[in-house]
Amino acid sequence: MLMSQKYDVVVIGAGPGGYVAAIRAAQLGLKTACIEKYVGKDGKSALGGTCLNVGCIPSKALLDSSWKYYEAKEGYKVHGIDVKGISMDVPAMVERKDKIVKQFSGGVATLFKANGVTSIEGHGKLLAGKKVEVTAPDGTVTVLDAENVILASGSVPINIPPAPLTDDIIVDSTGALDFTSVPKKLGVIGAGVIGLELGSVWRRLGAEVVVFEALDSFLSLADEQVAKEALKTFTKQGLQVRLGARVTGTEIKRKQVTVSFTDSEGEQQLTFDKLIVAVGRRPYTENLLASDCGVDLDERGMVYVDDYCATSVPGVYAVGDMVRGPMLAHKSSEEGVMVAERIAGHKAAMNYDLIPSVIYTHPEIAWVGKNEKQLKAEGVEFNVGVFPFAASGRAVAANDTGGFVKMIADAKTDRVLGVHVIGPSAAELVQQGAIAMEFGTSAEDLGMMVFSHPTLSEALHEAALAVNGHAIHVANRKKR
């Protein structure tokens, strides 16, 4: 066992929480090391975590490629563009995705060098006394001494007993990024963010897609009005979403998988060429914590932290998917920055009430703040403004008119409590709402601002006006 030098900060994990924390700590003058064990498809060490390597970035690459194909095939004619003999080269699409991943992974390595972060390959384990044991790929063990440790080991897909991963037939979200051809029939277990995004990719390319959702409700985390519109739209696009469908077993024969499930019609079976298991993710803490390190886990296997991501051990922090809150890359990154700032002695904090959520289907779905159901449960009186993209000149010009912008404001103070969007550029519009809400905006404030015309942003402006019955380009509802 080799003993190494002392660091001000040692980060375990180089995903969106870990690498951002390491860079910010180094920027603040702290001697920082970041440990990562992940190996990419090329057999080399890869920084960036799940998000960059097998999550956010590669899935967006496939979503964009598949949407461009679908648009060329189905959507160009209305613009007067005639396209014949269009085809999709799936290996080329996947190769492009891999190039993007490699580019950004290499980008993190470059940022580490530029900021003076020491990058260490291997598996990190927290020992007692803020020591970190590193097992290198060749089995060599080193122990680092740290003033502060940031745990950022992320999460992994949840596997379920009825559908064990098998070769390239039953796969998780990672395997679904590497299909070499379009499956004729594709099953997806889980109608959450990952299941809908991956199902959309392969549906656009021609697969017959069935999505199994055990819950009786669709997108229960989203606003009910948005979820209802989403289900209607996805069904129209050809995604078959089966609610209240609990998968009970799978059987593979002749390179096909038969899925047994129960729903309101009883026990049923369907056969697919591929099956994606996308039922959620769990914290990755395997061999991360020595039994005497003092860090506590909660009943869900997450590392217990306070509002500032401090664990039960002074000087040890945890961020991202392994702690409470939504498993979102942007939440992880901001927690990483907050922790680095606090280690450096600054009074940093994070607003957990305004973390945007996005589903990158088409139309996009996004929201920030509270929805109607949550506010009713809290007994808050509110007003609602809705503006459909069908009334937006910019959306009509782009032939992308599905969905709407919805704004919810406090009935007494007019303060904006939530922004919910389904439609073109939903993520960007919701971010505008988040910026405004961070500064405590009222719907009237947004209504008095000048928005450029014609833009999709005008839909946010009109929704704000509609909250108080002042919308110009759509009939107003009566105020509550």
Side-chain angles (χ1 to χ4, degrees):
M1 187 177 283
L2 305 170
M3 290 302 290
S4 186
Q5 54 192 349
K6 192 177 178 77
Y7 289 91
D8 295 320
V9 179
V10 171
V11 183
I12 301 178
Y19 88 73
V20 170
I23 289 171
R24 187 64 191 127
Q27 287 174 347
L28 291 163
L30 301 166
K31 186 178 181 182
T32 305
C34 186
I35 304 160
E36 178 57 66
K37 72 173 188 176
Y38 185 79
V39 175
K41 284 174 77 172
D42 59 1
K44 296 177 183 175
S45 175
L47 303 174
T50 292
C51 173
L52 202 156
N53 290 284
V54 291
C56 328
I57 302 302
S59 64
K60 298 311 146 310
L62 296 188
L63 279 159
D64 277 356
S65 294
S66 64
W67 179 250
K68 281 179 166 53
Y69 168 79
Y70 181 81
E71 269 279 84
K73 191 166 177 281
E74 307 288 345
Y76 280 5
K77 198 167 186 180
V78 72
H79 296 285
I81 304 169
D82 191 17
V83 180
K84 289 186 175 71
I86 187 168
S87 64
M88 170 56 83
D89 183 339
V90 174
M93 177 180 76
V94 172
E95 185 183 351
R96 172 183 176 268
K97 176 261 297 180
D98 290 341
K99 279 182 184 173
I100 292 168
V101 166
K102 199 165 184 180
Q103 175 189 336
F104 277 92
S105 182
V108 176
T110 301
L111 288 169
F112 273 3
K113 284 179 187 171
N115 288 281
V117 175
T118 301
S119 185
I120 300 173
E121 289 181 41
H123 176 89
K125 182 177 183 179
L126 179 67
L127 308 178
K130 290 186 292 189
K131 294 186 188 303
V132 178
E133 177 186 278
V134 182
T135 305
D138 64 2
T140 309
V141 176
T142 309
V143 175
L144 309 180
D145 242 330
E147 279 293 317
N148 301 276
V149 177
I150 303 175
L151 305 172
S153 58
S155 62
V156 291
I158 294 171
N159 295 325
I160 54 173
L165 304 187
T166 309
D167 300 326
D168 66 341
I169 297 173
I170 303 179
V171 300
D172 57 15
S173 56
T174 302
L177 297 170
D178 284 327
F179 290 163
T180 54
S181 61
V182 180
K184 191 176 178 185
K185 292 189 174 181
L186 172 67
V188 181
I189 305 177
V193 177
I194 297 169
L196 290 172
E197 289 186 357
L198 292 173
S200 291
V201 167
W202 299 106
R203 173 67 199 126
R204 290 170 192 166
L205 299 181
E208 183 183 320
V209 181
V210 177
V211 183
F212 300 97
E213 174 53 58
L215 297 176
D216 291 319
S217 59
F218 182 68
L219 286 181
S220 56
L221 292 176
D223 180 84
E224 284 182 356
Q225 190 179 351
V226 168
K228 187 178 177 182
E229 178 74 12
L231 182 57
K232 185 176 80 177
T233 303
F234 295 149
T235 302
K236 195 175 175 183
Q237 290 174 358
L239 279 182
Q240 299 174 46
V241 181
R242 293 180 175 249
L243 298 175
R246 187 171 294 277
V247 174
T248 55
T250 52
E251 185 183 9
I252 294 176
K253 277 184 184 175
R254 293 186 291 278
K255 294 200 170 180
Q256 286 191 315
V257 54
T258 298
V259 177
S260 300
F261 64 98
T262 58
D263 63 9
S264 58
E265 297 174 18
E267 294 184 14
Q268 299 192 65
Q269 289 187 329
L270 285 172
T271 301
F272 303 99
D273 300 299
K274 306 277 187 186
L275 179 65
I276 302 171
V277 180
V279 295
R281 300 179 65 85
R282 62 176 176 81
Y284 183 72
T285 55
E286 273 79 352
N287 200 29
L288 174 72
L289 307 169
S291 57
D292 60 349
C293 73
V295 170
D296 296 325
L297 300 180
D298 66 17
E299 67 279 358
R300 294 168 298 166
M302 292 186 164
V303 174
Y304 177 78
V305 292
D306 65 11
D307 290 345
Y308 305 104
C309 291
T311 71
S312 40
V313 178
V316 177
Y317 303 83
V319 301
D321 287 3
M322 61 190 310
V323 303
R324 79 285 175 273
M327 288 186 174
L328 297 170
H330 42 284
K331 175 255 198 187
S332 305
S333 294
E334 293 310 316
E335 285 180 333
V337 169
M338 174 178 71
V339 167
E341 296 269 357
R342 293 186 73 82
I343 289 171
H346 302 174
K347 295 190 183 300
M350 186 170 154
N351 186 354
Y352 283 95
D353 292 332
L354 292 180
I355 299 175
S357 294
V358 187
I359 305 174
Y360 294 91
T361 47
H362 197 102
E364 280 185 354
I365 301 165
W367 65 88
V368 67
K370 300 283 179 71
N371 59 41
E372 284 198 45
K373 191 175 179 180
Q374 290 167 324
L375 292 169
K376 283 173 184 171
E378 293 170 12
V380 176
E381 290 184 23
F382 56 86
N383 293 320
V384 176
V386 177
F387 188 80
F389 284 107
S392 158
R394 188 70 186 87
V396 172
N399 194 39
D400 201 356
T401 57
F404 53 83
V405 177
K406 178 175 183 174
M407 188 174 292
I408 306 174
D410 190 292
K412 296 188 178 97
T413 66
D414 197 40
R415 183 169 182 166
V416 177
L417 302 175
V419 175
H420 308 266
V421 183
I422 176 169
S425 298
E428 314 300 337
L429 297 182
V430 158
Q431 193 61 52
Q432 291 182 23
I435 293 167
M437 290 166 71
E438 185 67 53
F439 291 96
T441 191
S442 66
E444 185 184 37
D445 289 334
L446 285 171
M448 291 169 69
M449 289 178 65
V450 179
F451 282 67
S452 49
H453 175 76
T455 59
L456 295 173
S457 296
E458 286 178 294
L460 183 78
H461 185 224
E462 289 274 2
L465 288 167
V467 166
N468 293 303
H470 302 154
I472 302 298
H473 294 96
V474 71
N476 289 284
R477 295 195 214 176
K478 287 182 180 177
K479 278 186 66 176
R480 287 172 178 272

